[in-house]
Amino acid sequence: MCDKLSPNHFMPIPVTCPSCLKRFTVNDKFAGQTGPCPNCRKPIKIPEKAEEVVIHAPEATGPKDSKGKSVLKPIRRKDFKVSLPVMLTAGLSSLVIFGLALGIRFSGKEPATALLAIGALLLAPPLAYLGYWFLQDDELDSYAGKELWIRAGICSVVFAFTWLLYYFIPSYLSNYKTMAEFSGLDLLVMLPIMIVIGMFVSVLTFELEVLQGLLHYVLYLSITIFLALIMGTKLANPLVSEATISTPRVTQPSIPKGADAKPVPPATNTPPKADAAAEPEKPRINVLQ
């Protein structure tokens, strides 16, 4: 009987020894019989087949086909993972973008507004993608594949649109021609508006928490501001240093020693009058001749 109760055989009935609490299984043909425990050798009784507890799964609800099977696919959680090629591509792209920003800075030319708009739009998709990868909750279903890129694209357009708001609203209200003319008040008013819009679209597109949506947009905003400053872009007056304008000095002519000091008349723009003695004498015409 001991060999028959050995756990090495195929045994579909689960058994727990009441003495040593050892768990093992036995073949269903030994149901209702008594034998020694393989661990403590004390006699135990194999449960009957009728004593088994069968747990039935709940009946599926929803539409079914002609065979009674549910037509809805079960929801399965997909782990969001970023592969090594994606991480390498992101790292190399960051180095290239940083190098281009330094090149524009050393060129000495102010970057065009169109170039800044294109850069803000191109940086948005990878930053939205990587930001979601860092902030998404592992306990919830995560977006992946085509659906993730679609949501990242929608989020990217709105992220770039916030920079357009920063450029157009102060220009329209105060008739500024460039961002370098923006005041500190314009900066303090527009940044909270941009952050609220970016946080709101992050929460809606990726179903993030409010704090996660805030961090998601701040990641994009901080990187774009950092690159703009590297390129030498003047975003507002508080972020740039005013150029120091040097005024020429007015020096007085030196007076030789021993000479009487006379006040020097102030310089005027009127041309000096010509000396009357230096004018040539006009020929006289004798009328009697």
Side-chain angles (χ1 to χ4, degrees):
M1 184 69 178
C2 178
D3 295 336
K4 293 181 181 180
L5 295 180
S6 175
N8 295 328
H9 297 279
F10 177 76
M11 306 171 187
I13 300 179
V15 180
T16 301
C17 178
S19 300
C20 64
L21 302 180
K22 178 71 175 179
R23 296 180 180 180
F24 56 93
T25 57
V26 296
N27 199 308
D28 57 354
K29 67 180 181 180
F30 299 111
Q33 300 183 15
T34 302
C37 173
N39 184 42
C40 65
R41 313 303 297 176
K42 292 184 178 181
I44 57 175
K45 182 179 179 181
I46 309 301
E48 296 284 350
K49 292 290 293 182
E51 299 176 3
E52 292 182 353
V53 178
V54 179
I55 301 176
H56 299 278
E59 184 179 358
T61 59
K64 299 180 180 180
D65 57 7
S66 58
K67 298 181 180 180
K69 296 182 179 180
S70 177
V71 297
L72 298 178
K73 294 182 179 180
I75 300 175
R76 297 181 180 178
R77 185 181 182 277
K78 296 180 180 179
D79 294 333
F80 180 72
K81 297 180 180 180
V82 177
S83 60
L84 181 61
V86 174
M87 295 298 296
L88 292 177
T89 303
L92 292 176
S93 300
S94 301
L95 292 177
V96 171
I97 293 172
F98 184 76
L100 291 176
L102 286 179
I104 295 175
R105 177 65 177 267
F106 293 145
S107 66
K109 297 180 180 180
E110 184 75 15
T113 305
L115 179 62
L116 296 176
I118 294 174
L121 184 59
L122 293 180
L123 285 173
L127 291 179
Y129 185 94
L130 293 177
Y132 175 71
W133 176 56
F134 283 111
L135 296 173
Q136 59 95 21
D137 193 352
D138 295 334
E139 299 297 329
L140 302 176
D141 293 339
S142 58
Y143 298 106
K146 184 179 179 180
E147 184 180 6
L148 175 60
W149 281 112
I150 292 175
R151 292 178 179 271
I154 296 173
C155 192
S156 302
V157 172
V158 180
F159 280 6
F161 178 74
T162 57
W163 276 116
L164 293 179
L165 289 179
Y166 177 76
Y167 178 77
F168 282 110
I169 291 181
S171 301
Y172 177 77
L173 296 178
S174 304
N175 295 325
Y176 294 140
K177 295 182 179 179
T178 59
M179 288 188 296
E181 300 177 4
F182 291 178
S183 63
L185 181 61
D186 297 325
L187 185 68
L188 293 177
V189 170
M190 290 304 301
L191 280 183
I193 296 176
M194 296 167 62
I195 291 174
V196 169
I197 295 175
M199 177 187 66
F200 185 72
V201 72
S202 296
V203 171
L204 288 182
T205 52
F206 293 111
E207 298 183 0
L208 299 174
E209 299 292 336
V210 174
L211 181 59
Q212 291 175 332
L214 175 64
L215 295 176
H216 190 236
Y217 177 74
V218 168
L219 173 66
Y220 166 79
L221 182 65
S222 58
I223 291 178
T224 50
I225 290 178
F226 175 71
L227 292 175
L229 294 179
I230 289 179
M231 290 188 294
T233 305
K234 299 177 182 179
L235 298 177
N237 282 328
L239 300 182
V240 295
S241 59
E242 297 291 339
T244 304
I245 303 175
S246 60
T247 57
R249 293 183 178 180
V250 179
T251 57
Q252 298 289 341
S254 59
I255 301 174
K257 294 181 179 181
D260 295 336
K262 297 181 179 180
V264 180
T268 59
N269 294 329
T270 59
K273 295 182 179 180
D275 191 1
E279 293 181 357
E281 185 180 356
K282 297 180 180 180
R284 296 179 179 178
I285 300 175
N286 192 355
V287 182
L288 299 178
Q289 293 179 358

PDB file of all heavy atoms in Angstrom, residues 11-30:
ATOM      1  N   MET A  11      -1.435  10.688  -9.728  1.00  0.00           N
ATOM      2  CA  MET A  11      -2.464  10.624  -8.701  1.00  0.00           C
ATOM      3  C   MET A  11      -3.298  11.901  -8.779  1.00  0.00           C
ATOM      4  O   MET A  11      -2.842  12.964  -8.365  1.00  0.00           O
ATOM      5  CB  MET A  11      -1.827  10.502  -7.308  1.00  0.00           C
ATOM      6  CG  MET A  11      -0.865   9.336  -7.212  1.00  0.00           C
ATOM      7  SD  MET A  11       0.075   9.332  -5.685  1.00  0.00           S
ATOM      8  CE  MET A  11       1.220   7.989  -6.037  1.00  0.00           C
ATOM      9  N   PRO A  12      -4.523  11.816  -9.246  1.00  0.00           N
ATOM     10  CA  PRO A  12      -5.317  13.026  -9.430  1.00  0.00           C
ATOM     11  C   PRO A  12      -6.026  13.518  -8.177  1.00  0.00           C
ATOM     12  O   PRO A  12      -6.529  14.628  -8.166  1.00  0.00           O
ATOM     13  CB  PRO A  12      -6.325  12.601 -10.497  1.00  0.00           C
ATOM     14  CG  PRO A  12      -6.478  11.130 -10.318  1.00  0.00           C
ATOM     15  CD  PRO A  12      -5.131  10.639  -9.869  1.00  0.00           C
ATOM     16  N   ILE A  13      -6.079  12.687  -7.076  1.00  0.00           N
ATOM     17  CA  ILE A  13      -6.808  13.108  -5.878  1.00  0.00           C
ATOM     18  C   ILE A  13      -5.824  13.778  -4.922  1.00  0.00           C
ATOM     19  O   ILE A  13      -4.841  13.156  -4.499  1.00  0.00           O
ATOM     20  CB  ILE A  13      -7.495  11.913  -5.185  1.00  0.00           C
ATOM     21  CG1 ILE A  13      -8.490  11.246  -6.135  1.00  0.00           C
ATOM     22  CG2 ILE A  13      -8.182  12.364  -3.906  1.00  0.00           C
ATOM     23  CD1 ILE A  13      -9.191  10.052  -5.523  1.00  0.00           C
ATOM     24  N   PRO A  14      -6.031  15.060  -4.565  1.00  0.00           N
ATOM     25  CA  PRO A  14      -5.145  15.712  -3.595  1.00  0.00           C
ATOM     26  C   PRO A  14      -5.441  15.228  -2.180  1.00  0.00           C
ATOM     27  O   PRO A  14      -6.597  15.101  -1.764  1.00  0.00           O
ATOM     28  CB  PRO A  14      -5.478  17.200  -3.751  1.00  0.00           C
ATOM     29  CG  PRO A  14      -6.873  17.223  -4.271  1.00  0.00           C
ATOM     30  CD  PRO A  14      -7.037  15.987  -5.103  1.00  0.00           C
ATOM     31  N   VAL A  15      -4.399  14.927  -1.409  1.00  0.00           N
ATOM     32  CA  VAL A  15      -4.521  14.415  -0.051  1.00  0.00           C
ATOM     33  C   VAL A  15      -3.600  15.212   0.861  1.00  0.00           C
ATOM     34  O   VAL A  15      -2.456  15.520   0.473  1.00  0.00           O
ATOM     35  CB  VAL A  15      -4.184  12.920   0.024  1.00  0.00           C
ATOM     36  CG1 VAL A  15      -4.309  12.396   1.458  1.00  0.00           C
ATOM     37  CG2 VAL A  15      -5.084  12.115  -0.909  1.00  0.00           C
ATOM     38  N   THR A  16      -4.064  15.505   2.077  1.00  0.00           N
ATOM     39  CA  THR A  16      -3.253  16.177   3.094  1.00  0.00           C
ATOM     40  C   THR A  16      -3.233  15.320   4.356  1.00  0.00           C
ATOM     41  O   THR A  16      -4.291  14.965   4.892  1.00  0.00           O
ATOM     42  CB  THR A  16      -3.805  17.567   3.433  1.00  0.00           C
ATOM     43  OG1 THR A  16      -3.841  18.359   2.257  1.00  0.00           O
ATOM     44  CG2 THR A  16      -2.948  18.267   4.485  1.00  0.00           C
ATOM     45  N   CYS A  17      -2.052  14.944   4.811  1.00  0.00           N
ATOM     46  CA  CYS A  17      -1.930  14.105   6.002  1.00  0.00           C
ATOM     47  C   CYS A  17      -2.323  14.918   7.224  1.00  0.00           C
ATOM     48  O   CYS A  17      -1.772  16.002   7.461  1.00  0.00           O
ATOM     49  CB  CYS A  17      -0.506  13.587   6.140  1.00  0.00           C
ATOM     50  SG  CYS A  17      -0.238  12.587   7.630  1.00  0.00           S
ATOM     51  N   PRO A  18      -3.253  14.437   8.055  1.00  0.00           N
ATOM     52  CA  PRO A  18      -3.660  15.197   9.259  1.00  0.00           C
ATOM     53  C   PRO A  18      -2.587  15.227  10.330  1.00  0.00           C
ATOM     54  O   PRO A  18      -2.656  16.056  11.245  1.00  0.00           O
ATOM     55  CB  PRO A  18      -4.905  14.460   9.738  1.00  0.00           C
ATOM     56  CG  PRO A  18      -4.778  13.077   9.201  1.00  0.00           C
ATOM     57  CD  PRO A  18      -4.031  13.194   7.910  1.00  0.00           C
ATOM     58  N   SER A  19      -1.581  14.359  10.270  1.00  0.00           N
ATOM     59  CA  SER A  19      -0.541  14.312  11.306  1.00  0.00           C
ATOM     60  C   SER A  19       0.616  15.258  10.983  1.00  0.00           C
ATOM     61  O   SER A  19       0.993  16.114  11.789  1.00  0.00           O
ATOM     62  CB  SER A  19      -0.035  12.873  11.467  1.00  0.00           C
ATOM     63  OG  SER A  19      -1.096  12.015  11.845  1.00  0.00           O
ATOM     64  N   CYS A  20       1.210  15.097   9.806  1.00  0.00           N
ATOM     65  CA  CYS A  20       2.379  15.918   9.448  1.00  0.00           C
ATOM     66  C   CYS A  20       2.053  17.027   8.463  1.00  0.00           C
ATOM     67  O   CYS A  20       2.934  17.786   8.066  1.00  0.00           O
ATOM     68  CB  CYS A  20       3.484  15.036   8.879  1.00  0.00           C
ATOM     69  SG  CYS A  20       3.035  14.229   7.320  1.00  0.00           S
ATOM     70  N   LEU A  21       0.785  17.100   8.014  1.00  0.00           N
ATOM     71  CA  LEU A  21       0.320  18.137   7.070  1.00  0.00           C
ATOM     72  C   LEU A  21       1.048  18.079   5.733  1.00  0.00           C
ATOM     73  O   LEU A  21       1.146  19.071   5.017  1.00  0.00           O
ATOM     74  CB  LEU A  21       0.466  19.534   7.690  1.00  0.00           C
ATOM     75  CG  LEU A  21      -0.281  19.758   9.021  1.00  0.00           C
ATOM     76  CD1 LEU A  21      -0.050  21.177   9.513  1.00  0.00           C
ATOM     77  CD2 LEU A  21      -1.770  19.474   8.862  1.00  0.00           C
ATOM     78  N   LYS A  22       1.587  16.912   5.395  1.00  0.00           N
ATOM     79  CA  LYS A  22       2.234  16.719   4.107  1.00  0.00           C
ATOM     80  C   LYS A  22       1.172  16.614   3.013  1.00  0.00           C
ATOM     81  O   LYS A  22       0.168  15.916   3.170  1.00  0.00           O
ATOM     82  CB  LYS A  22       3.080  15.434   4.145  1.00  0.00           C
ATOM     83  CG  LYS A  22       3.761  15.092   2.840  1.00  0.00           C
ATOM     84  CD  LYS A  22       4.890  16.053   2.531  1.00  0.00           C
ATOM     85  CE  LYS A  22       5.650  15.629   1.274  1.00  0.00           C
ATOM     86  NZ  LYS A  22       6.730  16.564   0.931  1.00  0.00           N
ATOM     87  N   ARG A  23       1.381  17.320   1.914  1.00  0.00           N
ATOM     88  CA  ARG A  23       0.437  17.302   0.805  1.00  0.00           C
ATOM     89  C   ARG A  23       0.987  16.468  -0.336  1.00  0.00           C
ATOM     90  O   ARG A  23       2.149  16.582  -0.692  1.00  0.00           O
ATOM     91  CB  ARG A  23       0.159  18.721   0.316  1.00  0.00           C
ATOM     92  CG  ARG A  23      -0.528  19.614   1.353  1.00  0.00           C
ATOM     93  CD  ARG A  23      -0.778  20.996   0.786  1.00  0.00           C
ATOM     94  NE  ARG A  23      -1.431  21.858   1.762  1.00  0.00           N
ATOM     95  CZ  ARG A  23      -1.769  23.124   1.523  1.00  0.00           C
ATOM     96  NH1 ARG A  23      -1.490  23.659   0.328  1.00  0.00           N
ATOM     97  NH2 ARG A  23      -2.363  23.835   2.461  1.00  0.00           N
ATOM     98  N   PHE A  24       0.105  15.627  -0.896  1.00  0.00           N
ATOM     99  CA  PHE A  24       0.478  14.811  -2.054  1.00  0.00           C
ATOM    100  C   PHE A  24      -0.800  14.391  -2.749  1.00  0.00           C
ATOM    101  O   PHE A  24      -1.905  14.726  -2.313  1.00  0.00           O
ATOM    102  CB  PHE A  24       1.313  13.582  -1.622  1.00  0.00           C
ATOM    103  CG  PHE A  24       0.649  12.716  -0.598  1.00  0.00           C
ATOM    104  CD1 PHE A  24      -0.114  11.614  -0.973  1.00  0.00           C
ATOM    105  CD2 PHE A  24       0.774  12.999   0.755  1.00  0.00           C
ATOM    106  CE1 PHE A  24      -0.731  10.819  -0.027  1.00  0.00           C
ATOM    107  CE2 PHE A  24       0.157  12.213   1.704  1.00  0.00           C
ATOM    108  CZ  PHE A  24      -0.605  11.126   1.318  1.00  0.00           C
ATOM    109  N   THR A  25      -0.676  13.674  -3.850  1.00  0.00           N
ATOM    110  CA  THR A  25      -1.839  13.213  -4.615  1.00  0.00           C
ATOM    111  C   THR A  25      -1.745  11.713  -4.850  1.00  0.00           C
ATOM    112  O   THR A  25      -0.650  11.141  -4.875  1.00  0.00           O
ATOM    113  CB  THR A  25      -1.893  13.932  -5.982  1.00  0.00           C
ATOM    114  OG1 THR A  25      -0.679  13.711  -6.678  1.00  0.00           O
ATOM    115  CG2 THR A  25      -2.141  15.431  -5.822  1.00  0.00           C
ATOM    116  N   VAL A  26      -2.932  11.088  -4.994  1.00  0.00           N
ATOM    117  CA  VAL A  26      -3.003   9.650  -5.251  1.00  0.00           C
ATOM    118  C   VAL A  26      -3.946   9.404  -6.417  1.00  0.00           C
ATOM    119  O   VAL A  26      -4.740  10.285  -6.800  1.00  0.00           O
ATOM    120  CB  VAL A  26      -3.503   8.878  -4.010  1.00  0.00           C
ATOM    121  CG1 VAL A  26      -2.520   9.023  -2.864  1.00  0.00           C
ATOM    122  CG2 VAL A  26      -4.884   9.365  -3.603  1.00  0.00           C
ATOM    123  N   ASN A  27      -3.853   8.256  -6.985  1.00  0.00           N
ATOM    124  CA  ASN A  27      -4.735   7.879  -8.082  1.00  0.00           C
ATOM    125  C   ASN A  27      -6.160   7.728  -7.586  1.00  0.00           C
ATOM    126  O   ASN A  27      -6.408   7.324  -6.445  1.00  0.00           O
ATOM    127  CB  ASN A  27      -4.244   6.563  -8.698  1.00  0.00           C
ATOM    128  CG  ASN A  27      -4.799   6.355 -10.089  1.00  0.00           C
ATOM    129  OD1 ASN A  27      -6.009   6.437 -10.296  1.00  0.00           O
ATOM    130  ND2 ASN A  27      -3.921   6.093 -11.042  1.00  0.00           N
ATOM    131  N   ASP A  28      -7.105   8.067  -8.451  1.00  0.00           N
ATOM    132  CA  ASP A  28      -8.508   8.033  -8.025  1.00  0.00           C
ATOM    133  C   ASP A  28      -9.023   6.616  -7.786  1.00  0.00           C
ATOM    134  O   ASP A  28     -10.084   6.435  -7.187  1.00  0.00           O
ATOM    135  CB  ASP A  28      -9.374   8.741  -9.062  1.00  0.00           C
ATOM    136  CG  ASP A  28      -9.217   8.139 -10.439  1.00  0.00           C
ATOM    137  OD1 ASP A  28      -8.354   7.251 -10.610  1.00  0.00           O
ATOM    138  OD2 ASP A  28      -9.945   8.566 -11.363  1.00  0.00           O
ATOM    139  N   LYS A  29      -8.276   5.594  -8.204  1.00  0.00           N
ATOM    140  CA  LYS A  29      -8.744   4.234  -7.961  1.00  0.00           C
ATOM    141  C   LYS A  29      -8.578   3.821  -6.503  1.00  0.00           C
ATOM    142  O   LYS A  29      -9.128   2.825  -6.065  1.00  0.00           O
ATOM    143  CB  LYS A  29      -8.029   3.253  -8.865  1.00  0.00           C
ATOM    144  CG  LYS A  29      -6.549   3.099  -8.581  1.00  0.00           C
ATOM    145  CD  LYS A  29      -5.906   2.102  -9.539  1.00  0.00           C
ATOM    146  CE  LYS A  29      -4.431   1.914  -9.271  1.00  0.00           C
ATOM    147  NZ  LYS A  29      -3.814   0.935 -10.208  1.00  0.00           N
ATOM    148  N   PHE A  30      -7.785   4.604  -5.727  1.00  0.00           N
ATOM    149  CA  PHE A  30      -7.622   4.332  -4.293  1.00  0.00           C
ATOM    150  C   PHE A  30      -8.573   5.167  -3.444  1.00  0.00           C
ATOM    151  O   PHE A  30      -8.394   5.273  -2.228  1.00  0.00           O
ATOM    152  CB  PHE A  30      -6.183   4.611  -3.850  1.00  0.00           C
ATOM    153  CG  PHE A  30      -5.170   3.758  -4.550  1.00  0.00           C
ATOM    154  CD1 PHE A  30      -4.287   4.309  -5.457  1.00  0.00           C
ATOM    155  CD2 PHE A  30      -5.093   2.394  -4.287  1.00  0.00           C
ATOM    156  CE1 PHE A  30      -3.345   3.522  -6.100  1.00  0.00           C
ATOM    157  CE2 PHE A  30      -4.151   1.603  -4.924  1.00  0.00           C
ATOM    158  CZ  PHE A  30      -3.273   2.154  -5.847  1.00  0.00           C
TER     159      PHE A  30
END
